[in-house]
Amino acid sequence: MSTSARFDRGHTDDLMSFLAASPSPYHAVANAAERLEKAGFRQVLETDAWDGSAGGRFVLRGGAIVAWFVPEGTAPHTPFRIIGAHTDSPNLRVKPLPDTGSYGWRQIAVEIYGGTLLNTWLDRDLGLAGRLTLRDGSHRLVSLDRALLRVPQLAPHLDRSVNTDGLKLDRQRHMQPIWGLGEPEEGELIRFVADESGIDAEDITGWDLMLHAIEPPAYLGRDRDLMAGPRMDNLLSVHAGTAALAAVATGSGASGGSAAAGDGAGADGSGTPSLPYIPVLAAFDHEENGSQSDTGADGPLLGTVLERSVLARGGTYEDRARAFAGTICLSSDTGHAVHPNYAERHDPTHQPRANGGPILKVNVNMRYATDGSGRGVFATACEKAGVPWQTFVSNNSMPCGTTIGPITAARHGIQTVDIGVAILSMHSARELCGADDPYLLANALVAFLEG
């Protein structure tokens, strides 16, 4: 019998729905916020004064969300337990002057966002999603989830070396999608998006639009023990963190249960178990290009929210310092499962497997923030949750990637541990993971937040 038969697939089913409904960071945070609202959280505006009452709250800023839950009677110096993640994924994004084309083809001018695997965007049916900025300063989410665009690959008859010398793509010339026939007209894309969204095109003053593959997530394999889908890096962690926070805030989260079930009442601060920490979810934008933005992990958003939470509960700078000194962050991002066709690219003694549980990421040069103490924190959470876990270390001959973990540790002076789920095809338009690993990660996060 497949090991996947041991686990309830409800969490992974819910993850697939979340991925399909979140074609952009803006959709991801809106969907996370909706789930938290069902668990009793409420949105607070950064421009308003905050009170120190108990309960669940969240801040939305662009493609980022920071949510936290304050139990009744929490002292101002109470430390935080933070799940860190990011909402953005490598993709193709629409340029400010998008309408282009030649030789009878109408095309859309796009810019490459992040370290995407360019070839995975070829010959796919692509939709369009993101947000529109209106003349009154408000934003409108849009998602045209149907076959609108395509980046066609050159036929092998016209590139005889493609299967011997490899595919070579010029990021400027070869990645512009087609979306029709005829001569391009200035403004036609935005007029089309406006019409589809029921908006007057004259009211649109700006846009943040991106392409997405419209093929839905799906179980894969003989035993359906794998899951294929888009944007797992890193909406898988955003979804798990949202579920874990909701579960802890409503008192429905415990090891062995589905962390996706945090939809009951209780996040008003009543009827929940006593927590030694304030649980937090911080999902940032722009990780894939360095995190340096007002919604990125290298910006002030998280520190500002945490400090305001301390001050709203009557705390002082001393309380803030005490709280930060006792705070721990699990930076949850996808990592590399050992690839059966490229095993030599992996460390020979650290080879994470699909459905082997979440991974602890270690790099002594601090590309990951984990140290021995952090290992203990993660191991304790997994043990409490009854969740198996693995360790990832890069092959010494290969450069190591990085995450928001070192940024969070350095910027805020808080202990940070890098973890995640092992996947294949990272940065592809469609990635692959074990179907049980999202569930295992979510339950480990519940145990971590419960302290």
Side-chain angles (χ1 to χ4, degrees), residues 173-265:
R173 293 184 293 121
H174 298 154
M175 296 305 298
Q176 308 307 312
I178 61 172
W179 76 309
L181 298 173
E183 296 302 316
E185 300 176 12
E186 184 177 353
E188 64 177 339
L189 175 66
I190 299 306
R191 288 195 298 271
F192 171 77
V193 173
D195 289 343
E196 292 288 306
S197 307
I199 303 171
D200 187 340
E202 296 301 316
D203 287 336
I204 299 174
T205 57
W207 54 86
D208 300 279
L209 298 173
M210 58 203 71
L211 280 56
H212 66 276
I214 64 172
E215 183 182 3
Y219 288 108
L220 184 144
R222 185 195 68 177
D223 298 318
R224 292 165 55 87
D225 51 1
L226 299 169
M227 189 195 86
R231 299 176 293 281
M232 289 188 203
D233 180 11
N234 185 36
L235 294 189
L236 188 158
S237 294
V238 174
H239 174 264
T242 302
L245 179 61
V248 170
T250 58
S252 61
S255 301
S258 173
D263 58 355

Side-chain angles (χ1 to χ4, degrees), residues 27-118:
H27 289 83
V29 298
N31 289 323
E34 181 179 9
R35 289 160 183 256
L36 290 172
E37 286 179 334
K38 289 180 179 178
F41 285 68
R42 61 183 176 88
Q43 182 178 0
V44 293
L45 300 179
E46 295 181 83
T47 53
D48 288 348
W50 294 1
D51 64 69
S53 60
R57 297 171 176 79
F58 63 87
V59 165
L60 296 179
R61 185 193 289 185
I65 181 171
V66 179
W68 67 102
F69 174 74
V70 180
E72 194 72 46
T74 299
H77 62 268
T78 300
F80 301 91
R81 282 224 163 179
I82 304 168
I83 298 169
H86 67 88
T87 61
D88 59 318
S89 301
N91 58 13
L92 309 179
R93 302 205 172 187
V94 176
K95 288 184 176 180
L97 300 176
D99 305 297
T100 186
S102 59
Y103 303 104
W105 298 99
R106 284 148 78 179
Q107 296 175 275
I108 300 301
V110 297
E111 192 171 3
I112 311 301
Y113 179 83
T116 186
L117 283 172
L118 297 180

Side-chain angles (χ1 to χ4, degrees), residues 315-401:
T316 63
Y317 180 82
E318 181 72 10
D319 293 313
R320 182 256 189 216
R322 293 174 64 188
F324 276 46
T327 292
I328 306 173
C329 174
L330 287 190
S331 166
S332 182
D333 201 349
T334 53
H336 303 293
V338 61
H339 197 303
N341 298 338
Y342 302 91
E344 73 281 359
R345 301 295 182 96
H346 299 264
D347 183 83
T349 58
H350 299 79
Q351 299 188 333
R353 310 292 179 91
N355 287 337
I359 58 174
L360 179 74
K361 301 180 183 180
V362 178
N363 180 263
V364 295
N365 295 303
M366 300 310 293
R367 299 290 286 172
Y368 303 130
T370 306
D371 61 9
S373 176
R375 183 183 191 276
V377 171
F378 181 62
T380 299
C382 290
E383 181 180 352
K384 177 184 176 184
V387 167
W389 60 279
Q390 312 174 82
T391 305
F392 173 82
V393 178
S394 286
N395 186 308
N396 287 335
S397 300
M398 306 289 294
C400 181

Side-chain angles (χ1 to χ4, degrees), residues 23-24 26-27 128-132 139-145 193-194 196-199 204 207-210 212:
S24 78
Y26 314 109
H27 289 83
L128 192 66
R131 70 175 182 179
L132 303 174
H139 297 100
R140 181 78 64 86
L141 296 185
V142 296
S143 180
L144 307 183
D145 195 33
V193 173
E196 292 288 306
S197 307
I199 303 171
I204 299 174
W207 54 86
D208 300 279
L209 298 173
M210 58 203 71
H212 66 276

